[in-house]
Amino acid sequence: MKLKDTGLTAQDIKDKVSKYMIETYERFDFIAETAKDQYLYDEKGEPYLDFYAGIAVNSAGNCNQKVVDAVIDQVQDVMHTFNYPYTIPQALLAEKICTTIGMDKIFYQNSGTEANEAQKMLKKWETTSLQNLKRFHM
């Protein structure tokens, strides 16, 4: 969305954020209006080098054409689903990840809670595995 299309000023946007949002961090003093590759651009077209990579979740850059094309292609079939039905992209990506990094299985997650649960499962597995090893070697 472009600022010029809203009828608002940059200060109006900042004021709305201040009024309606809980601020948990200090913001940079610019409005990221568009993005391409490693740059964010403000409403005046000024580039800002983006070192954050979507805070570690989007390291392909902004509007990377291959990623944009893949997203468009996928959302024309299924935009969102959950883990109960089988989906072709999930299966193919799981295979690629496992064969690339030498893992047997992966666990898809979409939140910090699931990441924490995966850590708990890993610790439980490690504890159980160590107990079983001790039992067999004693």
Side-chain angles (χ1 to χ4, degrees), residues 25-45:
Y25 42 84
E26 187 175 338
R27 291 183 183 268
F28 297 133
D29 192 25
F30 74 95
I31 295 173
E33 188 178 75
T34 60
K36 180 73 176 143
D37 298 324
Q38 71 272 27
Y39 291 99
L40 299 172
Y41 297 88
D42 69 12
E43 72 282 2
K44 298 173 205 142

Side-chain angles (χ1 to χ4, degrees), residues 29-133:
D29 192 25
F30 74 95
I31 295 173
E33 188 178 75
T34 60
K36 180 73 176 143
D37 298 324
Q38 71 272 27
Y39 291 99
L40 299 172
Y41 297 88
D42 69 12
E43 72 282 2
K44 298 173 205 142
E46 183 75 26
Y48 295 82
L49 187 57
D50 179 8
F51 284 105
Y52 286 94
I55 306 186
V57 298
N58 187 19
S59 60
N62 283 289
C63 302
N64 175 295
Q65 198 57 52
K66 285 183 178 182
V67 175
V68 169
D69 291 343
V71 168
I72 290 170
D73 182 53
Q74 181 57 48
V75 299
Q76 289 175 334
D77 293 330
V78 176
M79 190 159 104
H80 179 269
T81 188
F82 43 95
N83 286 327
Y84 291 131
Y86 292 97
T87 63
I88 296 164
Q90 275 188 341
L92 296 178
L93 181 59
E95 177 186 36
K96 186 169 190 167
I97 292 169
C98 287
T99 58
T100 300
I101 64 174
M103 298 297 290
D104 294 328
K105 293 183 179 247
I106 62 166
F107 176 63
Y108 287 118
Q109 32 196 346
N110 67 350
S111 70
T113 300
E114 288 174 327
N116 290 336
E117 294 304 312
Q119 289 294 323
K120 290 177 189 176
M121 287 189 308
L122 177 61
K123 286 180 184 175
K124 178 71 174 170
W125 179 83
E126 287 175 338
T127 301
T128 304
S129 295
L130 285 174
Q131 288 170 349
N132 287 337
L133 276 174

